[in-house]
Amino acid sequence: MTSTGIRLHAPAPGWSVAADVVVVGSGVAGLTAALRCEAAGLRTVVVTKARLDDGSTRWAQGGIAAALGEGDTPEQHLDDTLVAGAGLCDEEAVRILVTEGPDAVRRLISTGARFDTDGAGGIELTREGGHHRRRIAHAGGDATGAEISRALVEAVRARGVRTVENALVLDLLTDADGRTAGVTLHVMGEGQHDGVGAVHAPAVVLATGGMGQVYSATTNPAVSTGDGVALALRAGAEVSDLEFVQFHPTVLFLGPDAEGQQPLVSEAVRGEGAHLVDADGVRFMQGQHELAELAPRDIVAKGIMRRMRQQDAEHMFLDARHFGAEMWEHRFPTILAACRAHGIDPVTEPIPVAPAAHYASGGVRTDAHGRTTVPGLYACGEVACTGVHGANRLASNSLLEGLVYAERIAADIAAARTRDALHARVPQPVPYSGRPAHPLLDAEARFTVQRIMTRGAGVLRSAASLAEAADRLERLHSDARDALAENGKTAEPGVGTWEATNLLCVARVLVAAARLREETRGCHWREDHAERDDTAWRRHIVVRLNPDRTLAVRTTDTADFPPTLPQAPDRARAAGTLTPQQEQ
C-alpha cells in the first residue's frame, strides 16, 4: 500500500487521546464493533458526527433480515441475496452473512433490542422485496432502526465506552510504514474537547454510513456526506462498486424541487399487501416480475420510472387504503405520521411516491474480516464494500451486514492486538503537516455537486449525461486545485467546506465507475446500454486516489473479489510463510 500523502486542509491537532481502537460512526455497525472491542478488553473510543443516535440506523423502518422463521434456512436467504445482487455478490461473503446472521440477531436481542412478537411470543416476521419468505424482524411496527439504536446506545453508555460526539473525522494518521495510527477529527461546539484533535490508535474502524447527500433528494440524514469513503481514498485505500447506488422506489414525493432528506415509505408496506398504481389506479408491476411489487428494488424503481415516462408523470402512487386505520396505526405508525405531516392520509388516499437515492452498495473494499487495503484500517456497514450486496442490496440486509461484519472486525482486532503485543508493535504517527495538502471547496458547492449528480448520474444514466457530470465535477476540482497552486488560496477550513470537499471526492469516483460500466446491471441503469453484459462486465470496478489527486480506475479479472493484498505480507510474516518475492 502506498499512501497518497493527501490530507484535508485543516489546523494541526491541538489535543489527543490514546486508545487501542477508534470506531468512527455510531450506527448498528459502529456501536456493535465498539461493544465487542470493549468486551475484548480493548481501550475503545467512539467518534460520531452528531449525537450517538443520529446516524442512518435510526431511520431504518422495515427491519433486519435473517433466517429465523419456521422452514426458512440460511441457504434460502443466500439464494435471494445472490439473485438481488445481479451476479456480482461475493458468495462467500453472503454465506458468512446468512449463516452467522441469526445468532448475531439473537445477541442483539440479548443486548436489549426488543422486536415485535406474535401471539405465541415468537419474533413476528414480515416480507419485503426480493425475499421469498417472511424473514424480516421488525420493532415498533416500522421503527426498527430506532429500537436497535436505542438498545446499542444504552449498552455503550452502560458499559462506559468513551465517546466523542459532534465530531467530524478528517483524515487517517499513519506511521512511517503506512500502518494505521489513528485519526484526526474536528469537534463542533463545547465539550470535553473542541476544535481539531487526534485519537491515536493502531486500529481504526470506519462505520461512517453512506453518501446519500451526494444527490439532491435522498432518504439519508444530513450527516451522510461520504466522509468515510473520502478519508479512505486519501489514505490510499481502494474502493469498489461505487456506481451501484440504490434508489429506493417508494419515497414520499414532496414535489419536483424537493431537496435534502425525504420521508421513506418502507418496502414492508408492499410486503403487507400495498399496490403500486398509476393515476388511473392501474397496477403496473404485474407482468414485469414474478414478485410484482415485491421484486428487488432495482426492478421496482425501473418499473416506476418507465411508467412515469410513459405518462409524463412526476410520480406514481402506493395504494394501501385497504389496510384500514387500525393496521396503519399499529403496523406503520411512523410512516402514517410522516404522510399526515405532509397533508396525505394513506388511510383514505393513495400515497404519491417516486424513487430517491437510498443506499450505496459499494464502498471501501474489505475482506471477510473487514480489513481494507490499508493495514490497520477496517470498514463495516454502508461505508464498506464486503461483496455482500453485489449490484443491488436485498431489502433489510444492511442492518444484518452491520451486525455480522462488526463482530468479525472486533474479533480480528483483538487477535491482531495479541500478535502485535508479542512484537511490541505500536504505530507512531508521522508528524502532522500543516500545509494545505488538499484544496477545499466553498460550503455552497455542496448544492452544485448534488444537482450535477442528480441530473447526470441519478436513476437514469447515459454516456452523454455522465460525460457532462464528469466535466462539471472536474471543473470544480480543477478550479479549487488551480487557486491553491497559483496563489495558495483555499476555502476556510470548517465543517461545511470539509463536507463539500468529501462529496466532490466521492462524486468523481462514482461517475468515473458509472461511465466505465457500459451495461445495465442491478441499480446501475444505463439508457444507452440497456442490457446486462456478463461477458464483459461480470466484474468489479476498483478505484483509488493517486498522489496527484487523479483517479486510478481498474476492473477485476472476474466477479470474485481479489484479496486485500497489502495486508497479506503482515499475516504471512506472522505465520512464518512469507516468501522472498512477497517480502519485496
Side-chain angles (χ1 to χ4, degrees):
M1 189 278 298
T2 302
S3 174
T4 66
I6 301 172
R7 284 177 172 155
L8 288 173
H9 178 34
W15 54 269
S16 66
V17 297
D20 295 320
V21 55
V22 54
V23 177
V24 187
S26 60
V28 62
L31 294 187
T32 298
L35 287 167
R36 298 294 178 265
C37 286
E38 187 77 15
L42 298 168
R43 294 175 301 159
T44 304
V45 174
V46 174
V47 173
T48 188
K49 195 171 179 181
R51 298 190 307 273
L52 280 182
D53 61 352
D54 266 351
S56 294
T57 291
R58 65 177 283 209
W59 297 100
Q61 294 174 344
I64 184 167
L68 297 165
E70 185 71 28
D72 197 6
T73 65
E75 200 67 27
Q76 294 176 69
H77 189 183
L78 180 141
D79 289 342
D80 285 345
T81 301
L82 294 180
V83 169
L88 279 187
C89 294
D90 182 288
E91 186 167 339
E92 181 55 30
V94 179
R95 194 171 297 281
I96 288 169
L97 179 83
V98 299
T99 55
E100 297 182 11
D103 283 343
V105 172
R106 295 183 185 102
R107 284 188 289 273
L108 179 62
I109 293 171
S110 69
T111 301
R114 298 186 291 265
F115 291 96
D116 296 337
T117 56
D118 55 27
I123 297 176
E124 187 176 56
L125 300 173
T126 190
R127 189 176 162 206
E128 293 184 353
H131 294 272
H132 283 79
R133 284 189 173 273
R134 285 182 170 263
R135 65 168 65 99
I136 315 299
H138 49 84
D142 58 357
T144 310
E147 170 57 19
I148 290 174
S149 181
R150 179 205 62 77
L152 291 173
V153 167
E154 286 187 4
V156 162
R157 287 177 173 156
R159 297 179 192 180
V161 179
R162 185 168 187 172
T163 61
V164 182
E165 295 181 282
N166 299 307
L168 171 64
V169 68
L170 299 176
D171 282 304
L172 191 74
L173 294 172
T174 56
D175 67 9
D177 296 323
R179 292 184 58 85
T180 293
V183 292
T184 56
L185 62 153
H186 173 76
V187 180
M188 299 165 271
E190 296 181 0
Q192 183 178 0
H193 302 292
D194 198 5
V196 174
V199 180
H200 295 151
V204 171
V205 180
L206 292 180
T208 51
M211 53 185 189
Q213 290 291 328
V214 79
Y215 292 98
S216 296
T218 177
T219 64
N220 288 202
V223 295
S224 298
T225 51
D227 307 320
V229 172
L231 174 150
L233 283 162
R234 289 192 295 271
E238 293 182 347
V239 302
S240 184
D241 298 359
L242 227 61
E243 69 271 31
F244 296 117
V245 176
Q246 187 179 81
F247 287 76
H248 198 288
T250 53
V251 175
L252 185 63
F253 181 74
L254 301 180
D257 298 321
E259 294 184 335
Q261 186 178 10
Q262 311 290 300
L264 178 67
V265 182
S266 169
E267 198 146 3
V269 178
R270 282 174 280 138
E272 296 292 351
H275 302 142
L276 282 165
V277 298
D278 59 21
D280 298 320
V282 177
R283 290 180 65 183
F284 55 86
M285 284 305 300
Q286 291 179 312
Q288 294 199 37
H289 191 276
E290 60 166 330
L291 296 176
E293 284 93 349
L294 285 177
R297 288 178 177 172
D298 63 309
I299 304 295
V300 180
K302 291 170 188 174
I304 290 173
M305 293 298 294
R306 287 193 187 101
R307 196 65 158 195
M308 286 166 56
R309 281 183 155 191
Q310 291 168 2
Q311 300 187 343
D312 193 24
E314 293 180 325
H315 61 82
M316 289 289 107
F317 294 92
L318 188 64
D319 192 350
R321 290 175 290 180
H322 55 285
F323 284 6
E326 183 177 353
M327 181 174 175
W328 266 110
E329 291 166 2
H330 170 72
R331 181 67 179 84
F332 301 111
T334 307
I335 298 170
L336 178 64
C339 288
R340 285 177 169 169
H342 291 282
I344 299 155
D345 188 350
V347 176
T348 60
E349 59 185 318
I351 305 168
V353 293
H358 183 54
Y359 191 89
S361 293
V364 185
R365 192 167 76 80
T366 73
D367 65 9
H369 298 279
R371 296 176 288 222
T372 73
T373 52
V374 176
L377 179 65
Y378 296 77
C380 59
E382 191 174 355
V383 71
C385 184
T386 62
V388 160
H389 304 306
N392 186 41
R393 176 175 70 92
L394 181 65
S396 288
N397 267 356
S398 57
L399 292 175
L400 189 71
E401 183 195 33
L403 272 182
V404 168
Y405 281 89
E407 291 187 342
R408 294 178 72 84
I409 285 173
D412 193 75
I413 292 174
R417 184 65 170 159
T418 300
R419 291 196 305 269
D420 289 351
L422 295 176
H423 298 285
R425 179 190 295 156
V426 180
Q428 297 297 316
V430 295
Y432 184 84
S433 172
R435 70 181 182 86
H438 195 295
L440 301 179
L441 299 184
D442 289 331
E444 292 75 17
R446 171 189 189 128
F447 304 106
T448 303
V449 172
Q450 290 172 336
R451 289 170 189 140
I452 291 171
M453 293 298 290
T454 298
R455 177 182 174 89
V459 181
L460 302 177
R461 304 166 179 179
S462 67
S465 75
L466 290 166
E468 180 183 358
D471 182 60
R472 294 183 65 191
L473 293 172
E474 186 56 35
R475 285 204 298 272
L476 283 176
H477 175 72
S478 59
D479 286 348
R481 179 197 61 207
D482 293 346
L484 180 64
E486 291 171 7
N487 52 35
K489 289 186 177 180
T490 185
E492 190 70 21
V495 174
T497 57
W498 288 321
E499 286 185 334
T501 303
N502 285 339
L503 284 170
L504 176 61
C505 178
V506 297
R508 292 176 65 218
V509 176
L510 194 162
V511 169
R515 292 183 77 183
L516 186 59
R517 184 174 291 280
E518 295 182 332
E519 65 160 355
T520 290
R521 181 188 298 270
C523 52
H524 172 66
W525 188 1
R526 285 285 296 263
E527 295 179 276
D528 51 338
H529 295 281
E531 302 301 322
R532 172 171 156 177
D533 183 356
D534 278 349
T535 301
W537 287 110
R538 191 163 178 257
R539 60 194 68 206
H540 302 276
I541 295 175
V542 178
V543 184
R544 61 179 175 79
L545 191 64
N546 290 321
D548 63 358
R549 305 184 192 100
T550 59
L551 301 179
V553 185
R554 66 180 175 88
T555 59
T556 60
D557 294 330
T558 68
D560 296 330
F561 266 117
T564 52
L565 289 174
Q567 290 187 330
D570 279 335
R571 296 196 292 276
R573 188 179 293 110
T577 59
L578 192 67
T579 67
Q581 290 77 15
Q582 289 172 319
E583 188 71 65
Q584 294 172 357

